[in-house]
Amino acid sequence: MIATLSVVERQVGLLLSVLLALVGLVMAASAGYGVMAVHGSMALVLGIALIFAFSGSVSDPEPPADRIYHYYDAPIRFGIVMTLIWAVIGMAVGVWVAALLYWPEATPAAPWTTFGRLRPVHTTGIIFGFAGNALIATSFYVVQRSSRARLADAVSPWFIMIGYNLFSVWAVTGYLMGSTQSKEYAEASWYADILLVVVWVTYFVLYMRTLARRNEPHIYVANWYYMAFILVVAMLHIVNNIALPVSFSSDQSFPVWGGVQDAMVQWWYGHNAVAFFLTAGFLGMLYYFLPVRSGRPIWSYRISIVAFWGIVFFYIWVGSHHLHYTALPYWVQTLGMTFSVMLLVPSWASAGNAIATLNGAWHKVRDDATLRFMFVAAVFYGLSTFEGSFLAIRPVNSLSHYTDWTVGHVHSGTLGWVAMIIFGAIYTLVPNLYDRSQMAWPRAIDWHFWLAVSGTLIYVVSLWNAGITQGLMWRTYGSNGSLAYSFLQSVEAMAPYYLLRTIGGALFLAGAVLCAFNCLATIRAAPRGVEAIDRPLSPQPAE
Amino acid sequence: MTTHRSRSVSPDDVDFKDGIQEVDPVTGYDTTGHRWNGIRELNTPFPRLVLVILMLTFIYSVIAWVLLPAWPIGKSYTHGILGLTQEGEAISGFVAIEKTRQSWLSRFDKPDFAALAADKLLLAKAMPAAVRLFEDNCAVCHGQKGTGGPGFPNLADAYWLWSGEPKEIAQTITVGINSTDDDARFAQMPAFDSLSRSDRKKLADYVTALPQGKTSAKDPASALFADNCAPCHGDDATGGLENGAPSLADHSVIYGQDRHTVLTTLAHGRQGVMPAWSNRLSSAEINLLALYVAQLASKQNERTK
Ligand code: HEM
């Protein structure tokens, strides 16, 4: 990392490292003990390590001057490695909690191993760790290539990558120690939230600056999706996490929202986390890597633009479909329901556009497992958005809500769509970043593909069954007018599905581990200091 | 094995020049002429089908907005011509179900257990509901079949802390044992840490041997028992004083009648809590459960006979 920075940039890096160590010191010292002290110490140690790394090399010679003729890929490589590490951690914890549901007696007698603490470790590890790193890394890749311009500077990408991963580690370790804001997908403590805001603003600014130096007359549509992702996530994160710390030396805080307003803000956040984190950003990924890999033009330019505005406009309204039949006023629920149904059209138009793009490249889909990942991703994107719009209809939701159907839907989206498109992108960009013609073990991609597809199908189908069984058992009345099943019976009925889900998850995890080793082997095989051979259209010095 | 080299071409490549519109041989459509790192786009007309479906979803939405509460206006909102409210729907659904239920459940309002138990037709309707009530409210502690576990008494055997009469069971369920209810039944096994350790050991051996009937009145522990324990557990340790102290002479146990557990019981005392249900279940439901619990025990008796 440091070798790619100029002397001035190294000085800025050193300054930032000192700042990080100081912030860590202040946090640890003012808290004294507990979660915040542990997190402060982490920042302090990281800051000191970076100070050492920088101060040892401030006076080293400048990096080769021809670097401005290349894309700045070093932070992308770091991001991809972090993506893979988080994938394995997040999915392993997922398989573990799935096994706990089947076999709760196996919970070891230590507080941090309880389901309640491990579940957010899984969701945060996957959404922020795995998906987030993949989004940031690929966005750097895509914005440079599709603008044919080098990243606007070399320090902020590192600031973003390191800050973002520090946020994720703070979040996950906080849950293990029992600290949470109790907002789903936003459990991290207030100071971690502030760190994320700083990182995210830097990210947005870097993205805009890089787009501004583009060598293409137009902004490619993938960048629109990435920009929507960055901008809206900043807005959601800030609004949902506004909270008053109990004191500045404690990780605890009070949300400013209360009651049903809090619930609405939370699900406005929660659903748009799905929309802009897990959908818009990944559509950006799809719109870049699918045509590149298949060598086909995007089937419809118009759809890609219209669907973008459709998705952005409709999604913002639909959060209330998570709160059907609650204290939320009926009219808000109706709006959430109807906008969810209208949302189906731009969603399917995007999925259809992706699949139609493969027209003329079906032989490649057959032969190339990497392209197959992308194809399956588009299919699951279509499936899960159809399912989502269906679940958002109130009477349907009265059956599905609180059941494992929701979890089945979630994983058709996250495994089938998000993870598949990430793997497709990784298998495309890793060889390119290390100037290899292909992955080290091409056969392993096929294995990974089948593990991932079978794992997803087993997972999703068993939880569809589980959820519908639960929903029906909870609402069936006997002829005597009383409920036909006790809750206990509905729990017992879940056992086979939970076992199958664990197996499906384990298959998916096995595929991800294979991918990580495949990437490791590819990286190992590359000579040190190798650069991708594709280049910006014109050299631009860092600002 | 396939090897696709997906990297792009060098900047000077003609393939990169923007603004050249070409015809895609596969689809026959023009490209837009834009190129980004080799990515092109087709100028496909916006598909009719998508517009038609979009219109259909609009129509669906407009109909929903007209029929249901939908748009905010100032401090109010459009109520929809069906005039539905969540509360209204919930109440009317409940009322409809409750009518069927009350058609037989109201019979349980009066605790005339002999008459209720004799009405086989009624029981055929009521007992499935009782099973569900028991599993939803009681099974967490007493087990799905009422057979209990460490700390929670077996309700499916013939041994009772209080009584196996439906009327008394109904009372137990209503007020609970050692619960927060004002009328709760009270039962406490005091801690005997005032006794010497050796006396406690003697008592423990004595109590452990009781179910086997291997104790004798000459045993010095017998006197200790008579002095300290008999007031609650009865002179012959068979309980039945309706003060919540169990018989120690039968094979049924709550916490355990092995030496180690009895020593713990003697050192620290015991005071199990059975919650009161009067605030959560109607008296008809409580009577139904009482009959169900009483029958659990008699069913078990029939089986063991
Ligand atoms: C048209 C698009 C979509 C719509 C209308 C939609 C709708 C819904 C609905 C109605 C629920 C269930 C709410 C409940 O009953 O609790 C839900 C849950 C969820 N969906 Fe979707 N969905 C869509 C697409 C997706 C996609 C593509 C993903 C993943 C990439 C996804 C991830 C999730 C997650 C994580 C939850 C769980 C929220 C929770 O924790 O309760 N959804 N969605």
Side-chain angles (χ1 to χ4, degrees), chain A residues 204-476:
Chain A
F204 184 68
V205 171
L206 173 68
Y207 210 86
M208 297 303 284
R209 281 163 66 214
T210 307
L211 277 179
R213 10 155 76 199
R214 71 181 184 279
N215 284 310
E216 299 283 358
H218 302 276
I219 297 176
Y220 181 53
V221 67
N223 293 307
W224 285 103
Y225 284 97
Y226 277 118
M227 273 195 294
F229 146 66
I230 302 170
L231 192 65
V232 180
V233 167
M235 177 173 94
L236 301 168
H237 173 76
I238 292 171
V239 174
N240 191 38
N241 284 296
I242 301 179
L244 296 173
V246 171
S247 85
F248 285 103
S249 55
S250 154
D251 59 298
Q252 302 295 310
S253 60
F254 293 107
V256 296
W257 313 109
V260 74
Q261 279 86 359
D262 183 43
M264 188 62 248
V265 170
Q266 161 62 25
W267 283 109
W268 169 76
Y269 164 89
H271 197 82
N272 288 302
V274 168
F276 290 89
F277 211 98
L278 297 179
T279 300
F282 288 100
L283 283 172
M285 205 184 277
L286 178 87
Y287 270 114
Y288 181 82
F289 288 99
L290 184 82
V292 162
R293 189 75 189 185
S294 63
R296 293 286 307 149
I298 289 292
W299 183 68
S300 168
Y301 162 72
R302 289 189 174 80
I303 286 189
S304 64
I305 298 296
V306 175
F308 172 80
W309 290 110
I311 286 175
V312 169
F313 175 69
F314 289 134
Y315 251 122
I316 285 287
W317 293 77
V318 304
S320 54
H321 67 216
H322 291 259
L323 296 167
H324 281 335
Y325 301 98
T326 63
L328 191 75
Y330 198 160
W331 63 265
V332 193
Q333 299 175 26
T334 307
L335 287 182
M337 167 177 93
T338 47
F339 276 88
S340 302
V341 169
M342 293 187 279
L343 174 59
L344 178 63
V345 183
S347 302
W348 265 36
S350 305
N353 201 11
I355 293 170
T357 297
L358 292 171
N359 258 339
W362 291 110
H363 59 288
K364 292 191 189 169
V365 176
R366 189 192 59 214
D367 296 337
D368 178 14
T370 304
L371 192 56
R372 236 180 296 138
F373 266 113
M374 300 182 198
F375 166 64
V376 169
V379 171
F380 269 102
Y381 175 60
L383 265 178
S384 50
T385 49
F386 176 75
E387 186 183 18
S389 299
F390 185 60
L391 292 180
I393 299 173
R394 266 175 110 248
V396 181
N397 198 265
S398 79
L399 177 69
S400 75
H401 193 62
Y402 305 121
T403 74
D404 280 305
W405 189 351
T406 303
V407 185
H409 159 70
V410 169
H411 287 84
S412 127
T414 49
L415 301 182
W417 153 236
V418 168
M420 297 279 184
I421 189 70
I422 292 179
F423 292 133
I426 285 182
Y427 286 131
T428 307
L429 63 75
V430 165
N432 191 46
L433 285 178
Y434 291 91
D435 195 28
R436 310 264 88 201
S437 63
Q438 58 178 15
M439 294 295 293
W441 309 329
R443 300 276 315 148
I445 306 179
D446 263 296
W447 276 92
H448 180 189
F449 176 78
W450 290 112
L451 282 170
V453 170
S454 54
T456 307
L457 284 177
I458 293 175
Y459 191 123
V460 171
V461 172
S462 57
L463 284 203
W464 281 338
N465 277 301
I468 294 172
T469 306
Q470 273 173 330
L472 290 176
M473 285 179 93
W474 293 344
R475 65 156 52 169
T476 306

Side-chain angles (χ1 to χ4, degrees), chain B residues 108 116-129 288 291 295:
Chain B
F108 284 85
L116 290 171
D119 189 341
K120 295 284 173 257
L121 223 61
L122 175 66
L123 291 193
K125 263 197 178 145
M127 279 307 147
L288 171 60
L291 196 61
Q295 293 197 345

